[in-house]
Amino acid sequence: MHFTVYCLDHEGMIDKRREHYEAHKAYLATSPIATVISGPLLGEDGETMIGSFFLYEGDDLDAVRLFNRDDPFNKAGIWRSVEIRPFLKRVDNR
């Protein structure tokens, strides 16, 4: 099964995001869940990072929630909201 994780930052988190980026990146490398796609969400200017998006493949929604809970960005209070949802992939044109 796939899971989407959609995280939006609090306002003014650019510097804090950069400060915690290496820890965030290292943490993602330890994921017990297969990461299909991940990266920053961007503002309408196409450049300003405003959040994070992940598409995971796994069997357990609770495992995704627990992994996200301990992400350094989450622990640092960068994200103002996090939505985690099961996702049914119907088309993949890669």
Side-chain angles (χ1 to χ4, degrees), residues 27 33 60-71 84:
Y27 181 72
I33 307 141
D60 187 0
L61 178 59
D62 287 333
V64 175
R65 287 181 177 138
L66 288 172
F67 185 69
N68 181 266
R69 181 195 68 196
D70 292 333
D71 187 298
I84 301 173

Side-chain angles (χ1 to χ4, degrees), residues 9-76:
D9 295 355
H10 289 281
E11 292 291 323
M13 288 288 122
I14 300 290
D15 290 338
K16 197 168 189 181
R17 182 178 259 277
R18 286 187 187 121
E19 177 186 334
H20 293 277
Y21 176 69
E22 289 302 322
H24 166 73
K25 191 168 110 177
Y27 181 72
L28 293 179
T30 71
S31 178
I33 307 141
T35 303
V36 178
I37 297 171
S38 69
L41 295 169
L42 302 177
E44 291 183 9
D45 63 5
E47 295 179 16
T48 305
M49 291 180 280
I50 62 165
S52 303
F53 175 82
F54 308 90
L55 177 61
Y56 291 115
E57 185 172 5
D59 296 322
D60 187 0
L61 178 59
D62 287 333
V64 175
R65 287 181 177 138
L66 288 172
F67 185 69
N68 181 266
R69 181 195 68 196
D70 292 333
D71 187 298
F73 278 2
N74 203 20
K75 286 186 161 190

